[in-house]
Amino acid sequence: KQWYQRRVREMSLGDNEATIKLLLCSGALISDGFSDITVLDRWLESSFYNLVKACMNLGAHIEVSLLCCLKSPPEYGTSFQALKRIVQYDHLHLYYPLFWDVNLLECAIAQHHKKGDTLLRDFVIGLMRRPEMNENNHPDLVARSQNSKKCAFLRTMFQKFLSS
């Protein structure tokens, strides 16, 4: 454990990509490949700041936005600011279907509307119409859907950063 903490401190001083890889590998290890979101609370608590900082430094704003929504309660201020900073749309098609938070989708719609990007705006509106996004569903169904999307997000992020 001390080795791990020392390594994270060393990496957070410079190599952002290596920091992300290390933190995601540790999260994948303790959650059986991000298949169980419930065991990640302690991991997220200890890794959140370094993970968000490294992603911000790399310009991975969509990942920052979703990471901030993993916290309980969600850090909407940072999340919305990260969405506003998105310049390249490289990975949006991978991440938008994984959004589990309606507030975040609404912010994304507003941002695309401001930029005049009607194609992406309409795509996100379509995602909001999906049955699993209905917050009036039974709480167990909502929680299951959200947990599934959270795990899928972390697996997608893991694949993106470890394949580079």
Side-chain angles (χ1 to χ4, degrees):
K1 184 176 178 177
Q2 290 175 342
W3 170 87
Y4 171 76
Q5 291 172 340
R6 184 174 20 113
R7 185 76 177 129
V8 169
R9 275 194 304 269
E10 290 170 1
M11 294 179 108
S12 66
L13 297 175
D15 193 347
N16 294 306
E17 200 165 321
T19 300
I20 293 170
K21 287 178 181 181
L22 176 70
L23 294 173
L24 288 175
C25 283
S26 69
L29 186 66
I30 64 168
S31 67
D32 193 26
F34 296 114
S35 61
D36 184 7
I37 196 76
T38 58
V39 300
L40 289 174
D41 288 339
R42 286 187 58 207
W43 169 79
L44 187 62
E45 192 177 298
S46 64
S47 304
F48 178 76
Y49 176 76
N50 289 324
L51 200 52
V52 168
K53 181 181 172 187
C55 286
M56 284 277 226
N57 290 340
L58 288 177
H61 299 297
I62 191 79
E63 288 87 350
V64 170
S65 188
L66 285 165
L67 284 168
C68 289
C69 287
L70 282 176
K71 298 242 342 159
S72 183
E75 291 190 11
Y76 286 120
T78 308
S79 185
F80 294 161
Q81 287 300 319
L83 271 182
K84 290 177 184 177
R85 290 186 180 136
I86 294 174
V87 179
Q88 295 178 326
Y89 295 151
D90 292 346
H91 299 287
L92 289 181
H93 68 285
L94 295 174
Y95 288 111
Y96 272 157
L98 304 178
F99 277 38
W100 59 86
D101 192 300
V102 174
N103 297 314
L104 205 53
L105 285 171
E106 288 173 348
C107 181
I109 290 169
Q111 291 305 311
H112 292 306
H113 182 74
K114 280 182 188 176
K115 293 177 182 178
D117 191 346
T118 56
L119 190 63
L120 268 176
R121 182 198 65 199
D122 293 344
F123 175 70
V124 177
I125 289 172
L127 292 174
M128 282 191 65
R129 292 184 180 140
R130 289 185 172 181
E132 71 265 16
M133 295 306 294
N134 186 347
E135 292 182 338
N136 293 322
N137 285 336
H138 191 275
D140 290 341
L141 181 64
V142 172
R144 225 176 315 132
S145 174
Q146 288 179 347
N147 288 343
S148 172
K149 287 184 176 196
K150 289 174 184 179
C151 289
F153 156 65
L154 289 168
R155 282 191 298 271
T156 302
M157 188 175 170
F158 180 84
Q159 289 172 348
K160 175 188 170 188
F161 283 100
L162 269 76
S163 67
S164 60

